[in-house]
Amino acid sequence: MLTVRKSNERGHADHGWLDSHHTFSFANYHDSEHMGYRSLRVINEDRVAEGRGFGAHAHRDMEILSYVLKGQLAHKDSMGHVEVLGPNEIQKMSAGSGVVHSEFNGSETEPVHFLQIWIEPKSRGTKPSYEQLKFEAEEKLDRFKLLASPTPTAGAATINQDTSVSVAELTPGKQITYPLGSKRHAWLHVIQGEVTVNGKALETGDAVAVDNEEALEVSAQGKANSEILLFDLA
């Protein structure tokens, strides 16, 4: 069973320096029909103006992933990490028992466009941790590249939940298969482009919840490359 979530149905907030689309309820956007999916709680697509950002704020008991689409995202946290995140990198912060961090556009001349993802942890009060991993663009071309996993895996961040996250960039006409299994669930988000998922047509910003499907057949449509983010969930 596939349930489509259209891009234009998402919550939207424009603060001038921040333009944000919320797949699920977040901040002043409340939608009782879209409070999350399984352990996936937040997918925010954020565009932050040059030189602006989110000042120091606290998190606890949440797995937080950031994936930059364009530009540079500067990060600083109470664990001592001072980093800059760019495209083709995954950043994971396990907030655990508590952490304070800030996120700012790392450029004074160009905006930054990124996805921030929150996943509820399977256990609470754990020691906070941080990972940032870079990969080559070819690793996601016409195949799934693992970004995060519940078990330590080379080239992927480790998260405190029975969830894995993968990305793929498909060239026009390419089809790839993800073996899900009927006892697993999935959420597929279209970062950009046009794809079909088991026959369902999706465009930039659209997403689909997947239940009781053995596999996902993802086909790229249109004349440009398409990029997708896939969450494999318990």
Side-chain angles (χ1 to χ4, degrees), residues 103-132:
E103 295 168 295
F104 278 83
N105 188 336
S107 170
E108 294 290 338
T109 59
E110 297 181 356
V112 61
H113 181 196
F114 71 103
L115 296 176
Q116 183 161 113
I117 298 141
W118 294 7
I119 298 170
E120 296 176 352
K122 66 179 179 182
S123 56
R124 297 178 177 272
T126 58
K127 182 179 179 181
S129 64
Y130 178 92
E131 287 182 273
Q132 182 173 329

Side-chain angles (χ1 to χ4, degrees), residues 152-163:
T153 305
T158 305
I159 56 175
N160 178 26
Q161 182 53 270
D162 184 8
T163 295

Side-chain angles (χ1 to χ4, degrees), residues 121-174:
K122 66 179 179 182
S123 56
R124 297 178 177 272
T126 58
K127 182 179 179 181
S129 64
Y130 178 92
E131 287 182 273
Q132 182 173 329
L133 300 165
K134 187 173 180 62
F135 60 92
E136 299 298 324
E138 292 76 15
E139 295 181 57
K140 66 179 180 181
L141 190 62
D142 290 332
R143 56 179 170 164
F144 285 105
K145 159 62 182 172
L146 185 66
L147 298 179
S149 169
T151 56
T153 305
T158 305
I159 56 175
N160 178 26
Q161 182 53 270
D162 184 8
T163 295
S164 61
V165 185
S166 300
V167 66
E169 182 178 346
L170 305 183
T171 53
K174 182 66 177 182

Side-chain angles (χ1 to χ4, degrees), residues 27-130:
N28 293 328
Y29 167 61
H30 179 79
D31 183 346
S32 60
E33 298 296 316
H34 297 92
M35 298 299 294
Y37 177 72
R38 314 297 294 183
S39 61
L40 181 57
R41 179 61 189 85
V42 167
I43 302 178
N44 287 345
E45 181 181 358
D46 292 340
R47 290 175 172 86
V48 178
E50 45 271 39
R52 301 296 298 273
F54 307 91
H57 57 283
H59 291 282
R60 65 178 298 131
D61 293 323
M62 195 65 71
E63 302 296 293
I64 300 172
L65 302 174
S66 296
Y67 185 70
V68 172
L69 309 179
K70 188 176 182 180
Q72 302 290 323
L73 183 66
H75 167 95
K76 185 177 182 180
D77 64 46
S78 55
M79 294 178 281
H81 302 101
V82 180
E83 304 288 349
V84 176
L85 183 73
N88 299 319
E89 291 186 83
I90 186 68
Q91 180 196 75
K92 179 223 67 175
M93 188 175 70
S94 294
S97 59
V99 68
V100 176
H101 80 139
S102 63
E103 295 168 295
F104 278 83
N105 188 336
S107 170
E108 294 290 338
T109 59
E110 297 181 356
V112 61
H113 181 196
F114 71 103
L115 296 176
Q116 183 161 113
I117 298 141
W118 294 7
I119 298 170
E120 296 176 352
K122 66 179 179 182
S123 56
R124 297 178 177 272
T126 58
K127 182 179 179 181
S129 64
Y130 178 92

